[in-house]
Amino acid sequence: MDDDKQPGQRPSNFLDEAFCHLQVEPQMRRLLKTPYRTIQVELPLQRDDGALAIYEGIRVQHDRSRGPFKGGLRYHPDIDVAHSTELAELMTWKAALMDLPLGGAKGGINCDPRELSATELERLTKLFVESMNDIFGAEHDIPAPDVGTGPREMAWIYDAYARTHGMELGVVTGKPLALCGSRGRLSATGRGVSMVTGWAAHEAGIDVDGARIALQGFGNVGSFTAQFLAEAGARIVAVGDAGGAIRNDDGLDIAMLLSAMHAGDAPRSVVDVGVAGERIDNEELLAADVDILIPAALGHVIHEGNAGAVRARMIVEAANGPLTFDADRQLRERGVVVVPDILANAGGVTVSYLEWVQNREGYMWEEERVNAKLTDVLRNAWNDINDRTSRDGCWYRLAAYCIAIERVSETVTLRGFK
């Protein structure tokens, strides 16, 4: 086990690397790594045609020392306990790095939402909430959107929870505005990615105005990131999603691309909307000759097998865990700057926290106030990381993990063990 590593033994993951750097005691390592609780539930869904389909619902609650569990619900066929545990742990460190009074959780349902009707998804979501009846709560565990979910699913969660517990607005974040969601929440993650990209690029001597950028993943996070960076003058030369990727070395028309993708009843792939560009695959996109590469889809897309092909000067992790530990080490040794996920994509959890605060106040803020507070939180975290890299002579990810671990371990110690 990692807890038993001997001095000088090479770390095998990001958390262990930070533990070794901080010389964290074995007992504290175990406390910080082990999830508080893992819940698995069976979800039998009667399909619209009368057939019975059985899904699994998962919620991993990692840490609550600093506040209620907080984290997204993912609807994806590949979700399992191991992956949910990894993502829940990331949420703990992300919230701590942002200095938010929240813990970390993650979970979801192992379904493909594209294969279910809206009525089937609503029934499945509400069945999941019923199964989590004593788990969720505004002071206990607060879900939010993730891959495959959005404001619609959060509205269903709110409704299902209210049937038993009453109108508890803060039980879920990422809600529609009509149900007291927060202004600025939908664009928050992409806005945060674009801000952090600008700060990190400046530090690395890259001018965002005119920088060549490739984005792998063009859902909510990737599309808003592209929009904000294009508005800042960046040249978005390649974007990709599950359907493939397109490249235009002169720069893609992001406004036209977004408009075309969302025209009609259902969103379409970037390769199907007729925007001028050469069709490529996502591996070619990851290897594009660009200043900045932003993986904004799923985890582990850059690994030991393809890290050598990456030509970007900087990688900004808009997705959770897009680089494996070995890939990160390879790229760092080559001088590629990597901005870690727990900083880069923390805009979402930050505005989710602000939504929770507004719900508790019973007063909704203007979007300018939300965005200003988001900027303050991210800027403070960025400054903390820069100070730590200067003090310790380390890189961004290690600095971010060290800050987060110190904050969580301090809280654990202060609360005691009896």
Side-chain angles (χ1 to χ4, degrees):
M1 294 179 61
D2 291 333
D3 296 333
D4 300 321
K5 285 186 179 293
Q6 298 300 313
Q9 189 171 343
R10 185 170 178 169
S12 59
N13 57 68
F14 299 127
L15 185 62
D16 181 51
E17 190 171 51
F19 282 158
C20 292
H21 183 78
L22 293 171
Q23 298 182 336
V24 177
E25 294 295 327
Q27 294 85 351
M28 182 59 73
R29 294 188 187 199
R30 186 175 183 86
L31 278 171
L32 296 180
K33 290 176 67 173
T34 306
Y36 170 79
R37 178 164 55 186
T38 299
I39 304 102
Q40 296 173 261
V41 295
E42 183 181 70
L43 303 173
L45 173 71
Q46 187 170 32
R47 301 288 300 270
D48 292 340
D49 62 4
L52 181 67
I54 299 176
Y55 298 97
E56 181 181 29
I58 298 168
R59 188 65 169 174
V60 176
Q61 297 174 323
H62 178 255
D63 183 86
R64 61 173 183 175
S65 61
R66 291 174 53 87
F69 298 109
K70 187 80 185 77
L73 291 176
R74 179 172 294 201
Y75 289 5
H76 194 277
D78 294 337
I79 192 169
D80 57 21
V81 169
H83 193 212
S84 297
T85 301
E86 177 185 351
L87 295 173
E89 183 184 282
L90 276 177
M91 281 301 304
T92 295
W93 313 130
K94 192 182 301 182
L97 179 64
M98 296 301 110
D99 210 11
L100 305 177
L102 299 170
K106 210 76 169 186
I109 303 172
N110 65 340
C111 68
D112 186 341
R114 297 170 299 182
E115 296 178 353
L116 298 173
S117 69
T119 55
E120 289 171 335
L121 274 173
E122 181 178 356
R123 290 199 301 272
L124 184 60
T125 299
K126 292 184 174 180
L127 180 61
F128 180 54
V129 176
E130 291 170 11
S131 300
M132 296 284 168
N133 189 50
D134 297 324
I135 301 300
F136 293 151
E139 300 293 337
H140 303 288
D141 187 334
I142 310 155
D146 200 276
V147 175
T149 61
R152 179 184 65 172
E153 288 75 20
M154 301 307 106
W156 292 336
I157 291 171
Y158 171 68
D159 178 70
Y161 188 84
R163 293 179 185 184
T164 303
H165 299 276
M167 302 300 185
E168 192 172 348
L169 291 174
V171 68
V172 59
T173 60
K175 301 182 296 297
L177 287 177
L179 291 176
C180 297
S182 177
R183 296 177 178 89
R185 174 60 184 89
L186 194 63
S187 62
T189 307
R191 184 181 297 277
V193 173
S194 66
M195 286 192 292
V196 171
T197 299
W199 299 332
H202 177 76
E203 194 72 21
I206 300 172
D207 189 348
V208 166
D209 188 359
R212 294 163 51 83
I213 297 178
L215 284 119
Q216 193 257 341
F218 209 68
N220 174 268
V221 176
S223 59
F224 274 112
T225 299
Q227 176 185 324
F228 292 131
L229 287 172
E231 290 171 357
R235 189 165 21 139
I236 312 298
V237 298
V239 298
D241 57 22
I246 54 173
R247 178 177 62 201
N248 185 330
D249 290 338
D250 294 326
L252 295 162
D253 187 330
I254 296 300
M256 182 183 294
L257 178 61
L258 290 171
S259 176
M261 283 183 65
H262 295 287
D265 295 332
R268 294 181 287 170
S269 170
V270 296
V271 300
D272 297 327
V273 296
V275 172
E278 172 193 1
R279 184 164 181 169
I280 59 175
D281 61 35
N282 276 291
E283 283 298 317
E284 291 177 279
L285 184 151
L286 294 173
D289 185 9
V290 292
D291 298 301
I292 302 170
L293 171 64
I294 304 179
L298 297 174
H300 300 173
V301 295
I302 302 176
H303 45 78
E304 192 174 14
N306 64 5
V310 172
R311 291 187 285 172
R313 295 169 58 189
M314 173 184 291
I315 297 174
V316 180
E317 293 185 320
N320 287 315
L323 273 65
T324 66
F325 182 75
D326 288 333
D328 181 81
R329 184 185 293 275
Q330 272 191 44
L331 291 163
R332 194 170 68 244
E333 289 174 349
R334 285 172 42 200
V336 178
V337 176
V338 177
V339 182
D341 46 8
I342 63 172
L343 170 66
N345 67 30
V349 69
T350 300
V351 177
S352 274
Y353 166 69
L354 299 178
E355 180 178 334
W356 181 68
V357 170
Q358 293 169 76
N359 291 161
R360 289 160 66 92
E361 289 182 349
Y363 181 80
M364 308 313 294
W365 303 350
E366 294 302 320
E367 186 167 352
E368 291 79 7
R369 182 180 177 186
V370 173
N371 290 339
K373 186 61 178 174
L374 168 63
T375 302
D376 288 345
V377 171
L378 286 175
R379 172 65 82 175
N380 288 339
W382 169 250
N383 289 340
D384 288 343
I385 288 174
N386 267 314
D387 290 346
R388 192 59 176 256
T389 58
S390 298
R391 193 190 86 184
D392 289 10
C394 62
W395 50 96
Y396 290 143
R397 192 191 307 276
L398 182 57
Y401 267 80
C402 286
I403 293 165
I405 289 167
E406 287 175 340
R407 287 175 177 166
V408 176
S409 60
E410 179 185 17
T411 308
V412 168
T413 302
L414 287 170
R415 293 185 64 161
F417 306 98
K418 293 184 181 180

